[in-house]
Amino acid sequence: MNTGLIIFFALLGGLLLWGILLYNQLVLLKNNTAKAWSNIEVLLKQRNTELPKLIAVCKEHMEYEQTTLQKVMEARNRVVSAMQFGNMGALEAADNALRIGLGNLFAVAEAYPELKASESFQHLRERITGLEDSIADRREFYNDSAALNNTRIEQFPDLIIAKSFSFKPFRLLSFKSEEIADVDVAAHFTAGT
Amino acid sequence: MWMWLRTLLPEPEQVAPFAGDADGINWYNVAQNQRFAVLRKGGLMNLASTWRFALFWGAGCFFLAQQVGREWLLLPALASLWFALGLYRRYRLIVDTPTSRLSSSAQGYVELSGTAALPDGESSRGLPHLPVTVWLPGYVEDQPFLLEDAFGRCLLYPQAAEIVTRTGDNHLFLLHAIYPGQTLYALGELRTQRHAHSNVSQERRERLAVLLADWKRDDHTLLQNFDADGNGQIDPDEWQNVLAAAQQWVDADIREQQRLPGTHVMSGAQAGQLFLITNIPPEQLARRYQWAAWLHTLAWWGLMAAAHIR
């Protein structure tokens, strides 16, 4: 075999290796994003488990606030249902409604000194605040992962591989600024302590 | 393959701490241990990304073409392709991996950035008469150390890590080391070991049984606290109070444990992914890898063309 032919095959082999490397990187980005989403899901499930306990504690003391409690539970059920069907749009809306509902619930709880003094209520309040903060951080992490994935599959030469193997962009989780302002749960907590 | 190659490198020679020069250190041993350890822990890819390596690589190829024959340049050309792919992969991993905050500790393959610190209860590490280090190649290579950010700490187990350090962080300008307080960047699989929430009811029952057995052993204290009518024994009604108190104690303890933050650990990466620890700013290291990857790609093309010229 002459040198020219060896060089031709070496170039071909090199290009093939580059292609494999790019493909593997796109797979890694896709898996990273999927994992970032499951990171949020774990916390959403934890919060969904804690919420009925919180509502049960509140029900004992809040006789005249049944509508507020009902709204929180309805939003929580919508979150659970959206998670089951993997509906990101519905999940965003339900999560916003839940955060608003929780904000209202903790604001109302200020008027019930016995409830505020309850150890179970305080513990659940702390747990849910912690979970809310972590969900916010992990949502940012998910958005970073998704943005990196989405940028790569639109860039040249990665888009050739992405189009050939049908890599899809991920939806970013966006929250309107007024919604964030409305549901400052942490502020309610600090006001209560 | 590199994991196998690195096992061939010599292990560090043990230094008797106070047998050497006037300051108690055998500097020749230190230099020798550092030389091999930096290669063993940092890997060949990091060596291939330095300017010194480029000079050595150019001179080696020139020697090969002059003394052995131009067609043999295909071998370093393929090696350059291998370096280019490896370095490009590292560059992309640094640039494409999202940063996890330790407050929420997203699990999985993540990057962390913070400062280096010694684990609790350890105040010095390294060689005597040298500044305290958290990692010193050739001496303290496998002991875990901490990466701290504003919200948490993560224990790094560097045994399987590729560690890239810069020199010149103190007056010992050739020493490769990581010092406490230095900015640290880690890329790898993060997992958090947490108090299990899943089986709280079973754990509660078990702990209650243990606690009650413990209280029963100490009759005197039990009677002192719960024998309300003073008849010298615990009646059924009084036993209900004992149960309630024990339940309250266990519940409070479980709640306290649940409040404790989990322990974050990074000890490797799955399926051949890179586990990297460095005290070089990640942007700088990524740029270095990017440039080195392009230079090796050019070298690949150049060497193949040179091999073809008659």
Side-chain angles (χ1 to χ4, degrees), chain A residues 2-4 6-7 10-11 13-15 17-18 21-22 25 28-29 32 35-36 39 43 46 119-120 122-123 126-127 133-135 137-138 140-141 144-145 148 152 155 158, chain B residues 71 74 78 81 84-85 88-89 92-93 95-101 103-110 189 194 197 252 255 258-259 270 273 297 300-301 304-305 307-308 310:
Chain A
N2 67 21
T3 327
I6 294 173
I7 288 173
L11 277 177
L15 282 176
L17 284 175
W18 272 107
L21 182 74
L22 289 185
Q25 284 169 351
L28 181 75
L29 285 175
N32 274 357
K35 208 159 194 176
N39 265 301
L43 295 188
Q46 275 182 26
E119 204 185 331
S120 304
Q122 282 203 359
H123 167 64
E126 276 172 27
R127 283 274 302 152
D133 290 345
S134 296
I135 288 169
D137 276 357
R138 288 192 182 183
E140 213 169 288
F141 180 76
D144 279 353
S145 308
L148 287 167
R152 278 298 295 277
Q155 272 177 348
D158 310 59
Chain B
E71 61 277 11
L74 284 174
L78 285 176
L81 171 65
L85 292 171
Y88 184 70
R89 181 174 153 259
R92 292 281 13 161
L93 278 173
V95 171
D96 289 344
T97 309
T99 312
S100 171
R101 289 183 198 167
S103 54
S104 74
S105 62
Q107 306 290 287
Y109 194 70
V110 301
E189 197 84 16
R194 203 176 280 282
H197 294 293
R255 268 203 299 276
Q258 285 176 344
R259 275 179 197 152
Q270 283 179 345
Q273 284 179 17
T297 308
W300 171 44
W301 283 75
M304 280 205 302
H308 192 54
R310 300 248 172 229

Side-chain angles (χ1 to χ4, degrees), chain B residues 175-195:
Chain B
L175 197 71
H176 282 268
I178 299 176
Y179 303 96
Q182 259 189 336
T183 304
L184 205 59
Y185 171 86
L187 192 67
E189 197 84 16
L190 179 74
R191 62 197 158 82
T192 304
Q193 294 160 343
R194 203 176 280 282
H195 176 79

Side-chain angles (χ1 to χ4, degrees), chain B residues 5 147 188 196 206 255:
Chain B
L5 277 175
L147 180 150
E206 284 166 6
R255 268 203 299 276

Side-chain angles (χ1 to χ4, degrees), chain A residues 119-187:
Chain A
E119 204 185 331
S120 304
F121 177 75
Q122 282 203 359
H123 167 64
L124 287 164
R125 196 172 68 169
E126 276 172 27
R127 283 274 302 152
I128 287 170
T129 319
L131 286 169
E132 287 288 332
D133 290 345
S134 296
I135 288 169
D137 276 357
R138 288 192 182 183
R139 198 177 58 216
E140 213 169 288
F141 180 76
Y142 166 82
N143 278 345
D144 279 353
S145 308
L148 287 167
N149 176 78
N150 298 353
T151 310
R152 278 298 295 277
I153 63 174
E154 285 176 16
Q155 272 177 348
F156 181 82
D158 310 59
L159 84 107
I160 300 169
I161 307 275
K163 288 247 190 254
S164 313
F165 293 94
S166 306
F167 281 89
K168 298 270 185 298
F170 283 86
R171 184 190 164 129
L172 298 180
L173 289 170
S174 54
F175 293 87
K176 290 174 193 163
S177 55
E178 63 269 25
E179 282 170 343
I180 295 168
D182 275 344
V183 289
D184 189 359
V185 177

